[in-house]
Every structure is written in C-alpha cells, then in structure tokens.
Amino acid sequence: MPPAGLLLAAGAGRRMGGPKALVELDGQPLVRRALRVLAEGGCTPLIVVLGASAERVAPLVPDDVRVVVAEDWAEGMGASLRAGLDALASLDVDSAVVHLVDLPGVTPEAVARLAAAPAPDAPGPDTLARAAYAGIPAHPVLLGRSHWAGVREAASGDAGARGYLRGNPAVRLVECGDVAEPDDVDTPEQLARLGHTTAPPPSV
C-alpha cells in the first residue's frame, strides 16, 4: 500500500511578505509544486492543510487533493500537523509522507526513496523514517499509522513532529542528499538564490 501524502501549507509567511503557498517558482505556486512532488513520488491520496489566506490558496489545489483548514493555524506547525493527522485517520492508509510547502529543493526522487526505505515490509503502520542530508535529519518524514497518536500528542507550537522523532530509536534515516536539497525558504532573498524565476505572493 503506498503512503498517503500530507502537505502542511498553513503558515502566514510573514518574512516572505505573504503565505508561502502562494509564492510562485518558475510560474508555479509552491503549493502546487509541493503537491506534484508528493504525487510523482508515489503518494496517494493527498491531503493539504491550509490556514492563512486559505480562501486564496484553496483554488490553486488540484481537484483530487483533499483540503483541510486548520482553524488554529496561527499556533504554529503543530496545529497544522494535528489537523492533517486527524484527516488521515479516516483514510484506509498505513502511512503518510509529511512534506512542507516551503521546501522547493525536495524532489519526487527523495519522496520515492523515503517511501521505499523500509521495503520489503513497508510502508506499513510501524514505519518511521526521515530524509537525511549528509547524515543530518530533515524533511520529509514518513510516519506509520501506529505513530500518529504519539506524534499528534507531541505536536505543539512550531515543533511539529520534532519532539516525537528526536532520539526515537525507531527512526530510520534515509540519505537523500544526492537527489534533493533540504533548505527551506523564508524570505524573497532566499528564494531568489535558488536561481529560478520567482514571484512574491499576490496581494490581497
């Protein structure tokens, strides 16, 4: 069973000047770019969690992707992750790849490698894996269903799954440094350094 794909895209992007989900990279909003990476990496079904300016981001989401709005998104990434895990709980899936909208360097190849890491047994309900770059753990992460309750309980503020994953002996690191880059983009300057054609979030 392939993993589901869970994209967290609820932040306000204050340092970016607006929600990063709306930022365009090479003519494509980051929210669509990230969802494409999950889909091409083999994840199905897909869920995206929105928050800030959800009414502006939602029309950019493909029709076959489920949209969830985290009403308490301003609390931080933890709120978005909890909303996403609650939505996943109703699906017939054993695991999910959790991806962030502001990681344009993550590729479908990295997602596919992460999803295949526990083969031949997984992805399954006990899977717990994390992409690593030169041995340093980062995103995306693969969460088996048996871990969702623990991750949800630990998710608060901007920590997301960090507290649950840190020091957990079940976590398997999957090296992805040869196929992806882990850097997030928080400002227009960081985005411009990627060397692509970029556009700021459209004004309200």
Side-chain angles (χ1 to χ4, degrees):
M1 178 183 295
L6 175 59
L7 179 65
L8 305 184
R14 293 178 180 85
R15 294 171 60 193
M16 185 66 74
K20 284 180 272 190
L22 294 170
V23 172
E24 289 190 2
L25 185 60
D26 292 338
Q28 186 177 47
L30 288 183
V31 66
R32 289 188 67 93
R33 181 185 181 98
L35 288 167
R36 175 180 56 79
V37 164
L38 286 172
E40 293 182 2
C43 297
T44 185
L46 301 182
I47 293 175
V48 59
V49 180
L50 306 181
S53 299
E55 70 286 353
R56 297 166 61 202
V57 181
L60 303 176
V61 176
D63 292 339
D64 59 346
V65 177
R66 179 178 174 184
V67 173
V68 174
V69 177
E71 300 296 342
D72 53 351
W73 63 267
E75 175 191 320
M77 189 188 303
S80 299
L81 182 55
R82 293 195 304 270
L85 290 172
D86 288 346
L88 283 170
S90 65
L91 302 180
D92 182 23
V93 293
D94 289 334
S95 63
V97 172
V98 181
H99 184 29
L100 309 182
V101 76
D102 60 354
L103 300 175
V106 171
T107 61
E109 291 79 11
V111 171
R113 184 178 296 181
L114 182 67
D121 304 320
D126 297 324
T127 297
L128 197 60
R130 190 170 188 180
Y133 303 83
I136 300 174
H139 287 90
V141 299
L142 178 62
L143 303 176
R145 193 180 193 99
S146 67
H147 297 282
W148 293 354
V151 170
R152 192 191 189 288
E153 183 176 355
S156 63
D158 274 323
R162 189 183 312 149
Y164 186 86
L165 295 171
R166 185 187 296 118
N168 191 319
V171 175
R172 177 173 178 177
L173 295 184
V174 180
E175 182 58 46
C176 294
D178 60 322
V179 295
E181 296 179 357
D183 300 328
D184 58 354
V185 288
D186 292 324
T187 67
E189 293 74 22
Q190 290 175 334
L191 198 62
R193 283 198 290 270
L194 294 176
H196 301 266
T197 302
T198 62
S203 58
V204 177

